Amino acid sequence: MKEIKNFKSALRAASHETANYMTGHLRAEAEASGWPDNITRRMRIDGSFKVHVHDSHKAEVHNLEYGTPDTQPTAAIRRFNNRTHESEKFLAGRLSKLMGEI
C-alpha cells in the first residue's frame, strides 16, 4: 500500500509543477496575442489543468478570445489548449523523476 501512496504523492507534486509550467506558457501566449498585462498576470492553470481567469476579467477575456462586432478575436486560450505536447512531456518527465526519487 505504501507504493500507491508514494505514487499519489509523486503524481500530485508533478501535477502541481506542470500546472505552474503551463501557466507560464498560457500567459506567454496571451501576451504574444496582445492581451493586456493586468489580465495575463491573473490567468493561471488550476489543479485540474483548466484555464482559470479572474472573475473580474471574464467578460473582457471572452471578448479577446472570441472577438466582438468591432474587434477580431485573438484566440490565445484556444491556441494554448491545442498545444499540449510540451506540457504532457513535462508532466511525464517530472513524474518519472519524482518516482525515481521515491
Side-chain angles (χ1 to χ4, degrees), residues 62-97:
H62 185 273
N63 290 341
L64 289 164
E65 185 72 17
Y66 295 100
T68 67
D70 300 324
T71 61
Q72 292 290 324
T74 54
I77 294 172
R78 288 177 288 165
R79 254 192 331 273
F80 170 79
N81 282 335
N82 287 321
R83 298 178 183 159
T84 60
H85 185 273
E86 285 184 38
S87 299
E88 292 165 359
K89 209 163 109 175
F90 183 86
L91 175 61
R94 292 304 303 146
L95 184 56
S96 177
K97 182 174 180 356

Side-chain angles (χ1 to χ4, degrees), residues 40-53:
T40 59
R41 283 191 311 266
R42 297 182 86 181
M43 294 171 58
R44 64 180 171 81
I45 301 298
D46 67 19
S48 301
F49 298 117
K50 293 181 182 174
V51 175
H52 175 78
V53 175

